[in-house]
């Protein structure tokens, strides 16, 4: 693994290094120095700067999803024109469980819907610190329950549902896939862009890429500090599906969970735990397609204007979705 590299910045592609240099020169206040409310505004303001223009689609609808505690979540459906009921990707955005929303991930979700010729339902799950762990986990699950029950009314194929997400959203997708296995609900795919899966920020890549690679160790600590109720939550499988445990102290087995497509960034603190999660899935007999994009950092899939491999990753993910849905 490159995570033991002597000069990790040398791993970056020239385009990626250029983007990081421009961000550094802009001199924004680091996110971990902001309040969560300020951090959300800053993240939203920056989200579209390097992203691709939003793809035009035949169908975009705002949805309301009820949750177990009486709250209503906003969600948005994106879909290309289709005579048939479309398969659907239930998508959870990234942002450390603290920032991000439907709008910050709209170009990505629109592009995946277009490329994979499927519907995408993007969910505004509740954020920390106002809604601490495990609220986001419950919201993710409740959105799957709702989607299964309402697919036909939305002209979607409820027998072809995938879950996906990036970063913290990838964590939620992985955990939702385990829950679906437990419930006996077959999912077509779990689509995970650089998911967080480990509980303790203790792999070599966390040290190698701790500073200077966009997602810094200080940001991760900031996000988790807002999201987790206390140190014990780090060892809960619903936060750390790689090595967290259930109420009986057992690591969750992964036998029979949905096939996985996992796309990682090489220069990312989360790379090692992503590889380790892919390994655990494979050991459990789950089909895994693992792509590691060289020389890019966490968050790169939203830098399509500047980073060519962002679009490669979109296309790879869409191909995995089409195959999982049976190339209709």
């Amino acid at each position: 693994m490159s995570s033991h590299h002597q000069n990790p910045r040398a791993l970056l592609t020239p385009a990626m290094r250029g983007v990081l240099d421009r961000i550094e020169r802009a001199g924004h206040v680091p996110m971990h120095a902001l309040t969560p409310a300020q951090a959300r505004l800053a993240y939203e303001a920056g989200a579209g700067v390097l992203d691709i223009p939003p793809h035009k689609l035949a169908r975009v609808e705002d949805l309301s999803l009820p949750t177990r505690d009486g709250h209503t979540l906003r969600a948005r459906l994106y879909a290309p024109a289709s005579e048939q009921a479309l398969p659907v990707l239930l998508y959870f955005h990234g942002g450390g469980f603290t920032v991000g929303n439907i709008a910050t991930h709209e170009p990505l979700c629109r592009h995946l819907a277009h490329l994979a010729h499927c519907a995408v339902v993007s969910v505004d799950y509740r954020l920390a610190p106002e809604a601490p762990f495990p609220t986001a986990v419950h919201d993710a699950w409740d959105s799957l329950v709702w989607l299964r029950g309402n697919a036909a009314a939305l002209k979607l194929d409820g027998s072809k549902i995938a879950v996906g997400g990036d970063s913290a959203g990838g964590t939620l997708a992985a955990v939702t896939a385990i829950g679906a296995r437990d419930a006996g609900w077959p999912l077509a795919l779990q689509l995970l862009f650089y998911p967080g899966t480990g509980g303790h920020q203790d792999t070599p890549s966390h040290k190698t890429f701790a500073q200077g690679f966009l997602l810094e160790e200080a940001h991760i600590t900031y996000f988790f500090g807002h999201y987790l109720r206390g140190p014990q939550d780090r060892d809960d499988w619903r936060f750390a599906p790689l090595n967290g445990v259930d109420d009986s102290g057992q690591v969750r087995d992964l036998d029979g969970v949905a096939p996985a497509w996992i796309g990682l960034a090489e220069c990312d603190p989360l790379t090692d735990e992503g590889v380790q999660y892919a390994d655990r899935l494979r050991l459990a007999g789950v089909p895994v397609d693992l792509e590691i994009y060289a020389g890019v950092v966490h968050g790169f899939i939203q830098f399509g204007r500047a980073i060519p491999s962002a679009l490669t990753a979109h296309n790879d993910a869409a191909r995995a979705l089409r195959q999982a849905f049976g190339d209709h």
Side-chain angles (χ1 to χ4, degrees):
M1 283 292 293
S2 56
S3 54
H4 302 285
H5 205 275
Q6 292 308 299
N7 174 21
R9 278 193 73 94
L11 295 169
L12 294 167
T13 66
M16 190 76 254
R17 200 173 305 138
V19 165
L20 292 177
D21 289 345
R22 287 204 298 281
I23 291 171
E24 206 170 318
R25 279 202 300 276
H28 297 295
V29 177
M31 197 173 278
H32 50 82
L34 302 174
T35 66
Q38 291 169 330
R40 280 175 210 148
L41 290 172
Y43 182 77
E44 197 164 355
V49 175
L50 294 174
D51 214 335
I52 56 173
H55 200 91
K56 288 189 172 51
L57 290 169
R59 193 176 165 204
V60 179
E61 289 172 32
D62 286 321
L63 307 172
S64 297
L65 283 56
T67 63
R68 64 189 70 184
D69 60 0
H71 186 82
T72 302
L73 303 177
R74 294 186 327 120
R76 192 167 292 155
L77 168 71
Y78 307 100
S82 173
E83 296 303 309
Q84 282 96 35
L86 285 169
V88 56
L89 168 66
L90 181 64
Y91 196 84
F92 308 116
H93 68 78
F97 306 102
T98 309
V99 303
N101 55 38
I102 289 171
T104 59
H105 285 63
E106 180 149 344
L108 173 65
C109 288
R110 282 175 175 265
H111 203 212
L112 289 175
H114 166 69
L115 292 172
H117 198 74
C118 71
V120 176
V121 171
S122 177
V123 180
D124 247 342
Y125 57 89
R126 283 172 279 181
L127 298 176
E130 296 85 349
F133 177 85
T135 310
V137 176
H138 291 162
D139 286 354
W141 179 255
D142 293 348
S143 63
L144 176 61
V145 173
W146 182 88
L147 182 59
R148 279 173 53 88
N150 291 273
L154 292 166
K155 299 190 184 62
L156 304 175
D157 184 346
S159 72
K160 292 182 177 178
I161 297 176
V163 293
D166 58 292
S167 195
T171 311
L172 295 174
V175 169
T176 301
I178 296 171
R181 182 275 315 266
D182 293 348
W185 297 350
L187 294 173
L189 188 70
Q190 47 180 326
L191 184 84
L192 312 177
F193 294 106
Y194 32 76
T197 63
H200 292 278
Q201 298 158 255
D202 55 1
T203 61
S205 61
H206 273 281
K207 295 181 186 65
T208 302
F209 303 112
Q211 264 188 310
F213 297 87
L214 202 63
L215 177 67
E216 306 209 326
E217 207 56 35
H219 298 131
I220 302 174
T221 299
Y222 169 84
F223 291 142
F224 292 174
H226 288 305
Y227 180 54
L228 300 174
R229 298 163 300 186
Q232 74 288 350
D233 285 343
R234 285 184 175 269
D235 295 311
D236 189 311
W237 73 275
R238 298 169 298 171
F239 173 68
L242 173 67
N243 47 20
V245 296
D246 61 18
D247 291 340
S248 66
Q250 298 297 308
V251 173
R252 296 304 311 271
D253 80 82
L254 300 174
D255 298 20
V257 303
W261 181 90
I262 302 176
L264 306 178
E266 182 186 21
C267 303
D268 177 354
L270 303 188
T271 301
D272 288 352
E273 63 201 64
V275 171
Q276 288 169 12
Y277 198 63
D279 288 346
R280 270 206 67 205
L281 288 166
R282 283 196 184 116
L283 277 172
V286 176
V288 176
D289 188 359
L290 172 66
E291 299 282 347
I292 303 177
Y293 297 92
V296 292
V297 301
H298 193 88
F300 81 97
I301 57 166
Q302 290 170 278
F303 298 162
R305 282 180 210 243
I307 304 296
S309 51
L311 301 178
T312 308
H314 292 194
N315 279 295
D316 291 345
R319 191 179 313 116
L321 283 166
R322 287 197 308 270
Q323 287 168 352
F325 290 142
D327 265 323
H328 49 281

